[in-house]
Amino acid sequence: MSEQEIKDLEKIFEERIANDEKIEPKDWMPEKYRQMNIRQISQHAHSEIVGMLPEGNWITRAPSLLRKVTLLAKVQDEAGHGLYLYSAAETLGISRDEMYKQMLTGKAKYSSIFNYPTLTWADIGAIGWLVDGAAIVNQVSLTHTSYGPYARGMVRICKEESFHQRQGYQIMYILANGTKEQREMAQDALNRFWWPALMMFGPRDADSTHTDQSMKWKIKIKTNDTLRQMFVDQVVPQADILGLTIPDPDLKYNEETGHYDFGEIDWEEFWQVVKGHGICNKDRLEAKNKAWNEGEWVRNAAVAYGEKQKEKQVKKAS
Amino acid sequence: MSNTEKITPYPKAIDKVEFIYGIADSSLILAQRLSELTGHGPTLETDMALTNIALDLFGQVRSYYQYAAKLIGDNKTEDDLAFFRTEREFKNVLLVEIPNKDFAYVIGKQFLYDQFHYLLLRELQKSEDVTIAAIARKSIKETAYHKEFSSNWIKRLGDGTEESHKRMQTAIDDLWKYSDEFFYPTAADKKMLEEGVGVNLEELRKEYRSNIAEVLEEATLEIPELEYFQKGGKDGRHTEHMGHLLSEMQYMQRTYPGMEW
């Protein structure tokens, strides 16, 4: 392709982005756009898959049969989200196995929130309410992302996530209106998950390396700080209904801006966990690697069996 | 209820409640074992499928326990039955409490259970107890799928690679001794059979063996030749694994009794 031809294609691409048209797998796209989408979608997929672990930690100990099946179904939904997202990323020319191995080796990132431990049952409520709540704020905005398969995947995922968020909030509501021990458990979970939930939106806009180009191509629709503020504004009244206290002495409604002002995130902790030194980083990757390695003989068997069956059919036909 | 209070069924319902435990407890314990695997499966697809089977089984268990709780009365609930009975009060077969040593054991247990569960539900649909018959009618559709899933995996692993064949054969050899307990009727089973509620378990043994043999043969696996089988779970005499499984499962209700979740 000549330089001029590439320039023409780039021009058409930029025009389509400007007109809010969706980019589809067979359309021409700049290599960097492809790579940025692969990075974002696969990270999102890995987050769903690794996110199964902290909640899975409570399936065998859920406090009632109803809670047990609800949690099982939720964690199963996450596996399903992982599958849609890997499929969306595969349309950009990378295989699921390749992406999965990037996650297993630690080359690809997943959301740091899943490197925090789930210590009590209330953490399951807090994750549903805050973590899924934060994810929805981000994902609703991504239903308008410029890459078609990702945008459509988000529509479906958002529906299930909002169900999870309500389930989490309901767990918190029951605890907050329960016994003293239950209220304390709920407050403790909020104390531990509040700041990590705010960190889910990523670094400050000023420190975010990917934001500019990502916004220009409408891969990202809103900036980290905008989304974080939307989340805080949404959650503070919900905490009030629960009668729980958000662990931020600087949190205050600002009459002028119409938003809640909030305190400074501990960025040192943020970078520590992002760089792989959170309390559970190692355990999460070990658990996923263990499952993958111990599953190897199973996957090999399925392939070998499939081939044998094919051979049998060919023999039968000839 | 308080956790010190023991669950004692009303005398007139005791046989039927015990009979229901005999069916539902096995599904509960197997589902609990399956749910240990969520997030740890060999592929995303099998992870989701095993979770799905666990969900079906827990759903069935809830229907049975809700009915048993009604028979017991005294405001008992499904959760009282799951979380406040001790080892000796659980009437599941030994097979389902065996740990998930590897994926071959997971599939082996599932297969040996599904094949029986399907026959049991087929017969239970004819129960004169309309609630039990209705639960069986609903459950058999799910269990037909479980049976297909586990049989297909038996074939894949049995006739896959050398390693998978060896692992699957080892699991079958080891689990086989637990495969006869299903057909041993407890006192409650006998009583319910007399009343037209239960099933003649001993009559199902032959069909079970022949169905199993068919799948194993296709899977190039051998049926172990055993002189002695294990039983006792249905009378509440379990393996040492059971207490650990229950302490994990019952942890929340035991630690914080009498609370709503």
Side-chain angles (χ1 to χ4, degrees), chain B residues 240-257:
Chain B
E240 289 181 350
H241 304 298
M242 187 66 179
H244 297 281
L245 183 146
L246 290 183
S247 23
E248 185 174 355
M249 185 176 84
Q250 299 180 334
Y251 157 70
M252 285 296 288
Q253 289 278 354
R254 297 280 186 188
T255 313
Y256 306 99

Side-chain angles (χ1 to χ4, degrees), chain A residues 49 60-61 63-69 75-76 96 179 181-182 185 288 291 297 299 301 305 308, chain B residues 32 39 42 44-45 48 52 55 58 79 156 159-160 163-164 167 248-249 252-253 256 259-261:
Chain A
I49 299 306
T60 55
R61 292 178 294 167
S64 71
L65 290 175
L66 177 62
R67 289 294 178 205
K68 196 190 278 287
V69 291
V75 178
Q76 190 194 31
R96 196 215 295 184
T179 64
E181 282 162 300
Q182 286 175 308
M185 202 188 272
K288 292 319 286 185
W297 69 270
R299 296 189 301 274
Y305 179 78
K308 281 186 196 174
Chain B
Q32 175 73 8
L44 282 175
E45 287 82 355
M48 290 173 77
N52 225 23
L55 275 169
F58 280 127
D79 288 331
R156 265 182 218 121
D159 195 16
E163 182 181 9
S164 72
R167 282 178 183 265
E248 185 174 355
M249 185 176 84
M252 285 296 288
Q253 289 278 354
Y256 306 99
M259 297 182 198
E260 211 189 305
W261 300 96

Side-chain angles (χ1 to χ4, degrees), chain A residues 169-235:
Chain A
Y169 191 69
Q170 201 233 353
I171 290 176
M172 292 304 273
Y173 188 84
I174 286 178
L175 295 177
N177 290 285
T179 64
K180 184 171 169 282
E181 282 162 300
Q182 286 175 308
R183 275 194 302 279
E184 284 170 1
M185 202 188 272
Q187 181 64 55
D188 172 59
L190 172 58
N191 293 349
R192 282 181 290 111
F193 276 93
W194 173 254
W195 292 106
L198 293 194
M199 293 178 197
M200 283 175 71
F201 297 96
R204 275 181 300 228
D205 293 349
D207 304 326
S208 175
T209 44
H210 301 284
T211 298
D212 281 354
Q213 186 63 59
S214 199
M215 296 283 291
K216 203 180 123 219
W217 277 335
K218 295 181 183 168
I219 298 173
K220 250 170 129 166
I221 302 296
K222 292 192 168 99
T223 70
N224 295 354
D225 287 335
T226 309
L227 291 166
R228 189 161 21 236
Q229 183 67 57
M230 285 169 71
F231 174 69
V232 172
D233 290 344
Q234 180 184 303
V235 168

Side-chain angles (χ1 to χ4, degrees), chain B residues 202-229:
Chain B
E202 286 165 304
E203 276 180 7
L204 298 176
R205 184 184 275 119
K206 207 175 143 205
E207 192 179 354
Y208 176 80
R209 295 246 172 266
S210 127
N211 293 348
I212 295 265
E214 202 180 304
V215 178
L216 291 185
E217 198 192 323
E218 205 186 321
T220 70
L221 293 166
E222 272 168 40
I223 299 173
E225 275 179 35
L226 262 195
E227 209 173 326
Y228 301 104
F229 288 92

Side-chain angles (χ1 to χ4, degrees), chain B residues 65-77:
Chain B
Y65 282 179
Q66 282 162 13
Y67 181 45
K70 209 169 98 188
L71 294 173
I72 297 168
D74 206 17
N75 293 323
K76 294 285 184 279
T77 67

Side-chain angles (χ1 to χ4, degrees), chain A residues 58 117-125 185-186 188-189 192, chain B residues 252 256:
Chain A
W58 278 90
T118 49
L119 303 179
T120 72
W121 171 251
D123 291 7
I124 299 304
M185 202 188 272
D188 172 59
R192 282 181 290 111
Chain B
M252 285 296 288
Y256 306 99

